[in-house]
Amino acid sequence: MATETNETKDRSLNFLEEIIEESIAKGETRVQTRFPPEPNGYLHIGHAKSICINFGLAKKYGGKCNLRFDDTNPVKEDTEYVDSIKRDIHWLGFDWAQERYASDYFDQLYEWAIVMIKKGLAYVDDQTQEQIRENRGTVSVPGTPSPWRDRSVEENLDLFERMRKGEFKDGEKVLRAKIDMAHPNMLFRDPIMYRILHTEHHRTGNKWCIYPMYDYAHGQSDSIEKITHSICTLEFDVHRPLYDWFIKALDIFPSHQYEFARLNLTYTMMSKRKLLKLVQEGAVMGWDDPRMPTICALRRKGYTPASVRNFAEMVGVAKRDNTIDLGKLEYCVREDLNKVAERRMAVLDPLKVVITNYEDDKTELFTAINNPENEEAGTRQVPFSKVIYIERNDFMEEPPKKFFRLRPGGEVRLRYSYLIKCEEVIKDAEGNITELHCTYDPMSGNGSSSDGRRVKGVIHWVSAKHAVESEIRLFNPLFTKENPDDCEEGQTWEDNLNPESMVKVKGYLEPSLMEIPIGQAVQFERVGYFCPDTDSTKEHPVFNRTVTLKDSWAKINKQ
Ligand code: ATP
Ligand code: MG
C-alpha cells in the first residue's frame, strides 16, 4: 500500500510516520490528513513544509489529504488569498481530495453549540472583552466566574438565537464553554466559542453575524471530515486537551491532533502579519517579490517545486523548535537546478575584447551543450564575432600564480569557441582598463589548437553585437540579522531590513536567453542560476538571480 516517493526512500521514519505505522499495525489503515490555511495571506516556506508533511503522509500511506480553509475570521480573509493558496499547493505538486471551508460547517457548528447549551456546557456571557480577560485570573490565581455563568438553559438558548439574529452589537455578548474557571490550563477557563461580528464573510456573505472561534471550530471541522491525523505546529499543543474536550462533549468522530516544530529559517521573517506590513508599506514589490519567503516569490525567483519538496524532506519533522540555515534551502535549489537547468552564457560585468585578426563583419556559430547533466537537453548555436564581452574579473594585469584566466600575453579558451591571446591592454586617461586587443588561433575552433598546445583556462563570453542587454536583479537576504526580530533597543524588526537586498546591474546575454520562459531558471555558466522575471519584456528583459553557484553550506558540512 505504501507508495514511497523518491524523496523519502532512504531514511528512517519520522515520528509522525511512526505514529501512523503503529496504528496501521493495530489495524487502522485509513489515513486522512488536511492542510488548514487561514486565507489571510500568501503561503510561505513554513507552510510548504506543512503541506509536504500533510500531503506527503497521505500519499505515502495511500490516504487522502483535504485542503480546508480555516475561514472563521471574516475581518482578515479574502478570496485573493484562497486563489493564491490553491495555486501554490498545485505548483508544489500536490492535489487535495476535497476542498473544504470551515464556513461550510457554520450551520453544523451552530447546531452543536445548541447541543452544548442544552447539556449545560455553554452559556451566553454579557461581560466585555476586557472584563472577561481580567476575570480569567493568572496561572497562579484562579479566575472569577462570570455573573452570567449560571443562566438557565432556556435563557441561554434564547439569547444565543438572538445573537445569531443580529439583535446585539459587536462585543455585546459571547457564547462561552462552561468548563472550569480555576483550571491550570488557562484555555479551559470557559473559552469563548462564538463572538458577534457584523462583518460580511467572503463566502457566507451576510448570513452570519456570529462567528466561531478557532478552538471551537477546528477540532469539529476535523471530525466532520473524519480526519485521522490532524497535524499542526507546536504552539497548539496546549490547545490539544481542549480539542479533545469539545469532541468528547459532542460525542463525535474522534480526530486526534499531533504537533511538530514549525520551520524557522535564518534571515527570514515568517510572520504573515509582518510580511503583510512589508507589502502594504511598499518595502517590497509585493507578495511575490523574490526576496519574500512566500511560495509565489520562490517561484518568481526561479525555484523548482522539487527543490522546495526536497528541502522540506531534508529538514525533516522535529518535535522541538529550531532554526534552519537559509543555506540549506539554497543548497536544495542549487542541487536540483544543477540537474535540470540549461546552461547559457551571460556577462554581468563586461570588459570589451576586440579580436584584431578576425574579419570585421563576420559571424560564426558555435555549437554549445545545453546541459552536460542531461544529454536530451541537446545543443544550441552561439554567435561569435570580432568584438566580444568577457567578465571583467576574468582578466588580470598582474595576476597571482594560479590565475588561469586571461593576462597580458596569456592565452585562454573561450567556452565552445577559439583560443585567444591578449596582445594589448587599452586604458583611459585615468588608467582604467577600457578594452583588450587579442588575437585568435583560427585552428582552435573545435577544442584543439594549431600546434597541439593546451590551455588551462576556459572563460565564458558573449558576442557584443549579438548580445541582449538585460536588467539583472541580484538578491541578498531581506534582513541583516539571522533572527530578524532581534533588534537593538528603540529599534524595530523593520530596522533590520537589508538595504542591499536587491542590487540591479546591467548584463549582456547570449540571444537564445530571450526564448527562456518566465520563471524558468538557467545556469549562466560560471556565474549562477537566473530566470526571467515577471517584469521581463522583449524591450526590457529582466533576469532574477535564483541562487549563486558557490555552495558554502555543502562545503562546511562535508568537512
Ligand atoms: P497566522 O499567524 O495567520 O495564524 P499561520 O502561519 O499559523 O499564520 P495558517 O494559515 O494558520 O498560518 O497556517 C496553516 C498551516 O500551516 C497550519 O497548520 C500551521 O500550523 C502551518 N504552519 C504555519 N507556519 C508554519 C511554519 N513556519 N512551519 C511549519 N508549519 C507552519
Ligand atoms: Mg494559524
Side-chain angles (χ1 to χ4, degrees):
M1 181 188 64
T3 47
E4 304 239 352
T5 62
N6 273 343
E7 290 141 19
T8 64
K9 245 188 339 232
D10 310 316
R11 58 154 175 78
S12 54
L13 298 180
N14 65 47
F15 82 95
L16 293 169
E17 291 165 336
E18 273 172 11
I19 288 167
I20 291 177
E21 299 210 352
E22 269 165 35
S23 48
I24 289 175
K26 283 190 218 140
E28 295 165 30
T29 51
R30 199 174 62 88
V31 172
Q32 171 76 62
T33 57
R34 88 287 172 262
F35 174 66
E38 190 180 346
N40 63 352
Y42 282 68
L43 297 181
H44 55 55
I45 183 76
H47 297 112
K49 179 177 170 181
S50 178
I51 290 167
C52 289
I53 291 173
N54 280 296
F55 285 91
L57 286 172
K59 191 171 166 194
K60 179 167 178 177
Y61 294 104
K64 289 183 174 150
C65 181
N66 287 353
L67 168 61
R68 179 182 340 123
F69 291 99
D70 183 7
D71 58 348
T72 52
N73 184 358
V75 182
K76 291 190 271 170
E77 293 157 5
D78 205 316
T79 40
E80 175 199 346
Y81 300 129
V82 169
D83 296 341
S84 78
I85 288 169
K86 293 202 272 189
R87 181 165 177 226
D88 288 347
I89 297 172
H90 275 147
W91 180 77
L92 278 173
F94 297 108
D95 203 1
W96 43 91
Q98 299 187 62
E99 177 182 333
R100 297 293 188 96
Y101 294 78
S103 56
D104 294 341
Y105 310 138
F106 282 174
D107 284 293
Q108 176 69 79
L109 291 169
Y110 180 76
E111 293 302 319
W112 279 337
I114 291 171
V115 171
M116 297 282 292
I117 293 173
K118 286 183 177 163
K119 286 188 177 185
L121 293 174
Y123 63 97
V124 173
D125 193 353
D126 295 1
Q127 293 182 105
T128 62
Q129 286 283 6
E130 193 117 291
Q131 287 168 328
I132 289 175
R133 201 175 317 120
E134 276 168 17
N135 289 338
R136 264 178 96 211
T138 66
V139 185
S140 49
V141 181
T144 312
S146 162
W148 314 104
R149 197 171 195 265
D150 293 317
R151 275 178 161 147
S152 68
V153 169
E154 288 67 35
E155 193 183 358
N156 281 320
L157 286 174
D158 174 59
L159 288 172
F160 186 52
E161 192 185 343
R162 288 164 57 197
M163 277 171 68
R164 180 183 65 80
K165 281 186 177 158
E167 289 187 21
F168 307 112
K169 292 201 215 66
D170 288 7
E172 239 176 68
K173 288 189 170 30
V174 292
L175 183 74
R176 296 178 76 177
K178 191 171 176 180
I179 311 183
D180 179 357
M181 285 307 289
H183 201 285
N185 181 338
M186 300 289 288
L187 294 174
F188 274 70
R189 295 189 184 176
D190 291 8
I192 297 174
M193 293 164 60
Y194 272 92
R195 74 263 205 232
I196 301 171
L197 278 175
H198 290 272
T199 303
E200 188 171 304
H201 185 279
H202 73 107
R203 296 195 89 228
T204 57
N206 290 309
K207 179 175 175 190
W208 296 92
C209 63
I210 55 170
Y211 291 95
M213 301 297 289
Y214 173 88
D215 282 320
Y216 179 67
H218 202 88
Q220 283 87 313
S221 302
D222 283 344
S223 182
I224 292 169
E225 294 175 25
K226 300 216 162 31
I227 302 298
T228 55
H229 297 79
S230 174
I231 297 160
C232 62
T233 38
L234 272 186
E235 68 272 22
F236 289 99
D237 68 343
V238 290
H239 294 254
R240 188 184 347 104
L242 190 53
Y243 178 105
D244 294 338
W245 187 88
F246 276 119
I247 283 180
K248 195 151 172 261
L250 291 164
D251 192 21
I252 54 179
F253 178 84
S255 295
H256 289 289
Q257 178 184 302
Y258 304 92
E259 307 89 19
F260 70 96
R262 67 192 297 125
L263 174 73
N264 299 303
L265 267 184
T266 56
Y267 301 101
T268 305
M269 178 55 75
M270 230 46 119
S271 148
K272 267 196 253 178
R273 184 175 57 80
K274 291 178 182 168
L275 294 176
L276 176 63
K277 190 150 188 261
L278 292 177
V279 173
Q280 284 172 339
E281 289 176 355
V284 293
M285 298 179 279
W287 281 101
D288 67 346
D289 184 305
R291 293 165 292 179
M292 293 279 275
T294 51
I295 296 176
C296 54
L298 294 173
R299 174 167 64 231
R300 179 170 173 187
K301 202 175 170 186
Y303 274 61
T304 56
S307 65
V308 179
R309 292 196 304 265
N310 291 344
F311 171 71
E313 178 61 26
M314 180 187 199
V315 301
V317 185
K319 283 197 214 182
R320 283 253 196 96
D321 273 322
N322 62 353
T323 301
I324 304 292
D325 189 334
L326 180 58
K328 285 195 187 182
L329 178 59
E330 297 189 340
Y331 169 84
C332 287
V333 69
R334 198 178 280 124
E335 285 280 287
D336 192 49
L337 289 179
N338 180 47
K339 282 184 271 168
V340 303
E342 295 205 350
R343 274 57 169 172
R344 293 292 185 272
M345 290 197 287
V347 171
L348 301 198
D349 185 13
L351 175 59
K352 184 174 165 188
V353 173
V354 180
I355 319 281
T356 52
N357 59 339
Y358 197 82
E359 278 172 59
D360 282 355
D361 299 318
K362 189 172 165 183
T363 295
E364 274 177 277
L365 293 174
F366 284 96
T367 302
I369 295 165
N370 284 338
N371 184 354
E373 304 282 322
N374 173 17
E375 220 174 283
E376 280 171 24
T379 60
R380 69 186 186 281
Q381 302 291 302
V382 184
F384 178 86
S385 64
K386 187 180 180 76
V387 181
I388 61 170
Y389 295 130
I390 66 169
E391 215 69 64
R392 192 162 275 276
N393 66 9
D394 277 336
F395 173 79
M396 271 184 100
E397 214 174 1
E398 288 164 38
K401 251 198 175 153
K402 294 221 162 155
F403 188 81
F404 297 120
R405 293 169 273 167
L406 200 55
R407 62 173 77 201
E411 211 173 12
V412 76
R413 161 91 46 204
L414 296 177
R415 183 83 160 136
Y416 306 118
S417 175
Y418 295 117
L419 291 172
I420 58 167
K421 184 175 176 192
C422 176
E423 309 285 357
E424 197 183 348
V425 181
I426 315 293
K427 296 180 181 175
D428 63 14
E430 279 95 55
N432 304 309
I433 299 170
T434 53
E435 62 182 70
L436 303 178
H437 286 179
C438 294
T439 52
Y440 82 111
D441 174 353
M443 305 296 287
S444 65
N446 53 0
S448 60
S449 62
S450 50
D451 56 3
R453 73 189 179 287
R454 300 185 66 121
V455 170
K456 249 194 174 151
V458 182
I459 63 173
H460 62 277
W461 53 276
V462 290
S463 161
K465 78 172 171 207
H466 299 96
V468 180
E469 203 180 291
S470 170
E471 176 180 326
I472 312 274
R473 297 177 180 167
L474 306 174
F475 300 109
N476 297 306
L478 187 54
F479 291 92
T480 52
K481 290 263 175 71
E482 266 197 26
N483 172 5
D485 281 315
D486 164 22
C487 36
E488 317 286 324
E489 233 188 86
Q491 299 209 314
T492 71
W493 60 276
E494 284 169 281
D495 293 304
N496 291 332
L497 280 168
N498 179 5
E500 310 266 288
S501 59
M502 177 164 70
V503 179
K504 294 181 182 180
V505 300
K506 205 190 282 173
Y508 295 85
L509 316 178
E510 70 163 85
S512 71
L513 275 165
M514 292 307 287
E515 286 148 37
I516 302 293
I518 283 170
Q520 182 178 314
V522 293
Q523 186 190 98
F524 288 1
E525 290 201 45
R526 303 177 62 236
V527 181
Y529 293 96
F530 294 79
C531 78
D533 184 64
T534 46
D535 288 344
S536 194
T537 61
K538 275 225 146 46
E539 296 68 39
H540 185 81
V542 180
F543 275 71
N544 298 322
R545 182 167 70 196
T546 311
V547 69
T548 54
L549 271 188
K550 283 267 161 24
D551 183 352
S552 47
W553 183 80
K555 244 186 269 155
I556 296 163
N557 280 270
K558 274 180 196 147
Q559 275 172 5

